Amino acid sequence: MKVAAIKGFSDILPGEVESWQFVEEKAREVFALYNFSEIRIPVLEKTELFSRSLGETTDIVEKEMYTFVDRDAMGTMLPPGPGTIRGSSLTLRPEGTAGVVRAYVESEMYKIEAVRKLFYLGPMFRREKPQKGRLRQFYQIGAEVLGRGDPFADAELLLLLRDLFEMVGLDGLTLELNSLGCVACRPRYREDLLSFLGERGKKLCGNCQRRMGRNPMRVLDCKEEVCSQLTGGAPSILGFLCESCEDHFGTVKQLLGETGLEFKLNPRMVRGLDYYCRTAFEWTSPRLGSQNAVAAGGRYDGLVEELGGPPTPGVGFAMGMERLVLLLAMKESKKAARPAIYLVWVGATARVWAFSAAHRLRRAGFSVEIEGEAKSLKSQMRRADKMGAQFVLIVGDEELSSGKGILRNMDSKEQFPVSLDRIEKEIAARLETNTD
Ligand code: ATP
Ligand code: MG
């Protein structure tokens, strides 16, 4: 029976996975430079964590979550009706911030140190229409700075991302920046926006009409042609910032200027989630087509408190791995891993010798590939070549009795005799000169 993977869920196969590993490695490097610690959180959480923190009217909570009832006698009765079962409603995490903040509050991390800088990497799940750069299981690398409300934290996160893009060799990304204000200034903007929408509101798409009451700013984010046309001349949030939001945003911009990080102001960028305030940003690339955002994030000063912790400001981002890897693939493909040594053996005695030599070499730190079945010398050499082995070590009865094997440099095609009782040293010396 052949079973296919689920739509929107994909495998990352050898050949492609090397780019992923490369990005992950660079991300760990940059997080270490900025003194972030890794946090690993579950992929499954109680549904209310997401509905509470992301907001009931967000795309994610309204229609994209993978939610199911975990049969559980202790759980609450779910909406009564025919076939109702008792259980807890659980959801596969659609994003990482809510879980990180939940863990922060639950473990009372703030008691140990007021400021925590955390990063995570792993899969997220959203039931969206699968297409290029958009999957149902996708991977994010994200970071959260908890306990810092100052604009230096926002600017530092943006610099970290710029450094990461540079380290993986990506250029041509645009940083779009906005401020969403705070609870003090947003209500005034909301009123102004609502009066601008006024009659126009009735012509907006169904989704926007529904949301106008709860969060009219969402309308600016709508991808529908009719909505973006109708709201073309909408007032800008930036004209409504209170003094302290204005100062905060001013310093973020000044710090970016100071460090030579270019940005484009985009007052229409409102971000999809309810918990954002003040700084909001997106890194986009025109090369990605309509799924153009590689990374996005912003400030969420009220979220920790909303999830039961002490008042704690926060700022973070999440970067989409698939889109980043797509961009990297447009530049160059990373080479698949190649073994340093391919051990070619001929004859039963050499087979056993080669088996334990391979083990010894691996313990000495070399990647080694070896044939399991008896194959001709020629066919083993062909396979070594196909795998891109750097060296081939050839051993048969003759080599065993003389104590000298044949080492072939597959790049230069040169061959040398090597002492079998000290192959680790011989190979180490050759590998060193080979990579020079
Ligand atoms: P978009 O507007 O592209 O749907 P979003 O605002 O929903 O993005 P965020 O929740 O901010 O995305 O997630 C941060 C990043 O995660 C995005 O910039 C993107 O790179 C990536 N991402 C989000 N959803 C998906 C998905 N379904 N498949 C692949 N990557 C995704
Ligand atoms: Mg989305």
Side-chain angles (χ1 to χ4, degrees):
M1 186 179 64
K2 211 159 137 189
V3 182
I6 311 165
K7 192 175 160 201
F9 289 67
S10 70
D11 304 305
I12 304 152
L13 303 175
E16 194 193 352
V17 82
E18 290 75 16
S19 299
W20 288 66
Q21 291 165 336
F22 171 69
V23 172
E24 286 161 7
E25 192 185 306
K26 293 293 164 197
R28 288 184 186 280
E29 265 173 57
V30 84
F31 284 129
L33 291 173
Y34 283 78
N35 195 32
F36 279 66
S37 313
E38 184 176 358
I39 181 167
R40 300 189 187 192
I41 47 168
V43 292
L44 204 55
E45 299 269 6
K46 290 186 182 150
T47 304
E48 67 212 44
L49 174 69
F50 303 113
S51 47
R52 190 72 191 257
S53 56
L54 311 187
E56 297 280 0
T57 59
T58 53
D59 276 349
I60 295 181
V61 173
E62 276 187 336
K63 50 183 194 215
E64 295 174 358
M65 296 205 301
Y66 280 99
T67 296
F68 65 94
V69 178
D70 188 20
R71 286 164 191 275
D72 159 10
M74 304 296 287
T76 45
M77 194 75 114
L78 286 146
T84 295
I85 49 168
R86 201 175 265 282
S88 313
S89 178
L90 303 182
T91 294
L92 280 171
R93 63 180 186 195
E95 56 100 61
T97 305
V100 170
V101 171
R102 197 247 333 116
Y104 175 82
V105 171
E106 195 169 349
S107 65
E108 301 186 322
M109 258 184 236
Y110 46 84
K111 285 196 176 156
I112 307 161
E113 217 191 291
V115 175
R116 296 311 289 246
K117 301 202 282 187
L118 305 166
F119 77 91
Y120 58 85
L121 28 96
M124 305 296 160
F125 305 84
R126 296 184 197 172
R127 204 170 188 294
E128 305 188 77
K129 188 165 166 244
Q131 53 200 289
K132 186 179 159 211
R134 191 180 296 294
L135 282 113
R136 290 181 166 182
Q137 170 171 335
F138 62 98
Y139 289 76
Q140 286 185 337
I141 295 184
E144 318 290 352
V145 178
L146 296 163
R148 279 188 59 185
D150 63 279
F152 287 76
D154 309 40
E156 198 175 283
L157 263 188
L158 289 166
L159 287 171
L160 182 158
L161 267 170
R162 192 222 6 216
D163 289 355
L164 178 57
F165 295 141
E166 217 173 272
M167 283 159 81
V168 299
L170 262 193
D171 44 29
L173 295 183
T174 305
L175 168 60
E176 296 185 27
L177 198 63
N178 193 18
S179 174
L180 303 180
C182 64
V183 284
C185 46
R186 217 155 23 187
R188 279 201 306 127
Y189 175 62
R190 187 191 142 105
E191 246 170 66
D192 203 69
L193 181 61
L194 277 175
S195 76
F196 166 84
L197 290 173
E199 281 301 301
R200 292 181 182 88
K202 296 191 183 114
K203 296 191 202 132
L204 294 169
C205 76
N207 237 345
C208 284
Q209 293 201 19
R210 210 158 29 84
R211 284 169 186 181
M212 247 170 63
R214 289 286 296 268
N215 190 348
M217 275 170 85
R218 249 335 116 55
V219 172
L220 301 178
D221 208 21
C222 184
K223 305 277 190 304
E224 296 287 330
E225 184 65 29
V226 48
C227 300
S228 48
Q229 278 197 354
L230 279 169
T231 60
S236 155
I237 172 91
L238 294 177
F240 288 79
L241 298 183
C242 64
E243 206 181 318
S244 105
C245 283
E246 187 74 55
D247 278 356
H248 195 276
F249 196 44
T251 309
V252 173
K253 289 185 289 185
Q254 181 201 347
L255 294 171
L256 297 184
E258 206 70 50
T259 46
L261 176 45
E262 284 176 27
F263 58 88
K264 214 172 83 188
L265 279 184
N266 178 1
R268 294 181 64 91
M269 184 186 56
V270 301
R271 307 285 304 125
L273 313 179
D274 274 1
Y275 57 56
Y276 284 112
C277 65
R278 293 198 163 167
T279 318
F281 55 84
E282 259 180 35
W283 290 83
T284 57
S285 165
R287 282 177 289 169
L288 284 172
S290 54
Q291 270 60 253
N292 66 352
V294 181
R299 185 159 275 289
Y300 49 85
D301 291 346
L303 184 62
V304 176
E305 209 178 349
E306 175 75 27
L307 292 176
T312 308
V315 57
F317 71 78
M319 182 179 87
M321 283 291 285
E322 284 77 8
R323 296 184 197 177
L324 195 79
V325 168
L326 263 173
L327 284 173
L328 285 179
M330 289 177 199
K331 276 183 69 109
E332 57 179 325
S333 59
K334 279 249 152 279
K335 288 218 172 60
R338 57 193 289 222
I341 305 149
Y342 194 100
L343 254 168
V344 168
W345 53 269
V346 183
T349 323
R351 178 186 202 171
V352 176
W353 182 90
F355 176 81
S356 59
H359 181 233
R360 239 171 37 234
L361 283 166
R362 287 173 181 144
R363 285 172 65 93
F366 303 105
S367 71
V368 179
E369 187 52 275
I370 182 172
E371 194 63 55
E373 312 239 333
K375 294 259 170 70
S376 70
L377 178 71
K378 211 167 139 193
S379 107
Q380 291 185 66
M381 291 302 291
R382 248 201 321 265
R383 189 153 170 254
D385 191 42
K386 207 167 151 195
M387 281 192 171
Q390 297 181 58
F391 284 91
V392 165
L393 176 64
I394 305 162
V395 191
D397 290 343
E398 213 171 288
E399 284 72 29
L400 279 185
S401 58
S402 71
K404 293 242 181 255
I406 302 161
L407 189 68
R408 181 180 169 87
N409 182 328
M410 297 296 279
D411 297 333
S412 69
K413 315 283 182 235
E414 289 167 289
Q415 294 197 164
F416 320 85
V418 287
S419 297
L420 292 180
D421 51 6
R422 48 190 300 267
I423 40 169
E424 293 97 323
K425 287 211 176 77
E426 297 251 16
I427 289 176
R430 307 278 181 199
L431 264 176
E432 209 163 283
T433 51
N434 198 42
T435 48
D436 278 350

